[in-house]
Amino acid sequence: MTHPFEIELETILPASPEQVWEAIATGPGIDSWFMGRNELDPREGGTLVMETGGHRTQALVTAYEPGKRLATRTTTAEDGRFMAFEYLIEGRDGGSTVLRVVHSGLLGDDWQDEYDALRRGWPFHLHTLREYLTHFPGRTGTPVFAAAPAPERPGPEVRAVLARALSLPLPVTVGARAHAEPAGLPPLDGEVVRVDDECFGIRTADALLTFHHGRGMALMFHHLFGAAPEDAEAAWQRWLTALLA
């Protein structure tokens, strides 16, 4: 049995409508703040393809009005589930832009848990978008995704392991300084810019790094804006796997 849902958010971004459009309506722009690697055919009737951790999803572009509105809709699953996304852009005086996001569709039998995860996830994504447009305007990010199991470990313990590896005190707080030297990667020196019960984010001079944690697992969603090694994603995966082994 499917269940309809809708999540609507609005945020003011420190960027022009043109900059916001570039971030939400091009593959390289989406790569710089959202999830996975993205390819967008920029036209109504085109497709948006996202690949994250080997999982590939495809959506139809249902509206494409440059600088104003982008809408997409995933294909409908056999049980009727689908997701639709709408982004509305409005310029404001002073060079800022209002972005309104509407995420809707039909969820399956476990709809309540899935809805809660989506509702919690959007503030994180919009915070990443704001950090990107504020600190890395005009640059293109390389997305990095990694995941590792942490059997039998509760979420707070996984968080503590991540914090220690990044030289962060507990509890992790905004403004704390992070440092690590992952093998095969440049040294990490940065500042915690976001914290909630499920993740914390760090901004360095050339990256936005986010560490998610839950019971028995950890995930990383990073966006690298500097000269990163070609195997950066594999190096981060090795670091996380070894940390939680």
Side-chain angles (χ1 to χ4, degrees):
M1 183 176 179
T2 55
H3 295 263
F5 79 97
E6 182 172 288
I7 299 168
E8 184 173 336
L9 303 96
E10 185 174 287
T11 186
I12 299 176
L13 297 168
S16 67
E18 292 77 16
Q19 289 173 307
V20 175
W21 180 257
E22 185 74 14
I24 68 166
T26 69
I30 301 168
D31 285 354
S32 300
W33 67 276
F34 201 53
M35 297 186 297
R37 301 174 187 275
N38 300 267
E39 297 179 7
L40 177 69
D41 180 8
R43 62 183 177 87
E44 187 173 334
T47 57
L48 172 62
V49 178
M50 175 189 295
E51 185 170 342
T52 306
H55 179 66
R56 184 181 176 91
T57 60
Q58 182 168 311
L60 176 71
V61 178
T62 57
Y64 186 85
E65 302 174 37
K68 296 181 179 179
R69 179 175 178 245
L70 174 71
T72 64
R73 187 187 191 279
T74 64
T75 54
T76 302
E78 291 183 0
D79 62 1
R81 290 180 300 166
F82 74 90
M83 290 192 181
F85 303 83
E86 183 180 31
Y87 300 89
L88 298 165
I89 292 174
E90 180 183 347
R92 288 284 181 88
D93 293 340
S96 62
T97 299
V98 175
L99 174 66
R100 185 160 65 91
V101 179
V102 181
H103 184 182
S104 61
L106 294 176
L107 300 176
D109 290 339
D110 297 328
W111 68 273
Q112 188 65 59
D113 289 343
E114 190 172 359
Y115 172 77
D116 288 343
L118 295 172
R119 180 178 53 82
R120 295 192 306 268
W122 268 110
F124 154 70
H125 291 306
L126 292 180
H127 180 269
T128 305
L129 175 59
R130 184 178 296 106
E131 288 285 312
Y132 166 53
L133 291 171
T134 302
H135 299 281
F136 303 100
R139 300 168 69 178
T140 298
T142 299
V144 165
F145 171 79
E152 306 304 323
R153 294 187 181 185
E157 183 178 331
V158 178
R159 185 188 189 99
V161 171
L162 291 168
R164 283 196 299 269
L166 296 163
S167 304
L168 288 170
L170 289 173
V172 179
T173 58
V174 171
R177 299 296 303 181
H179 177 79
E181 298 185 10
L185 292 164
L188 181 161
D189 286 290
E191 178 183 352
V192 176
V193 293
R194 177 178 170 81
V195 177
D196 62 31
D197 292 340
E198 297 177 328
C199 73
F200 56 87
I202 296 169
R203 185 182 70 243
T204 72
D206 55 12
L208 295 171
L209 312 172
T210 306
F211 302 84
H212 293 253
H213 48 79
R215 180 174 180 80
M217 53 76 68
L219 304 172
M220 297 190 302
F221 291 97
H222 296 344
H223 300 87
L224 313 180
F225 299 95
E230 290 185 7
D231 66 341
E233 187 164 78
W236 274 111
Q237 180 64 66
R238 289 192 296 270
W239 179 86
L240 186 63
T241 300
L243 188 66
L244 297 175

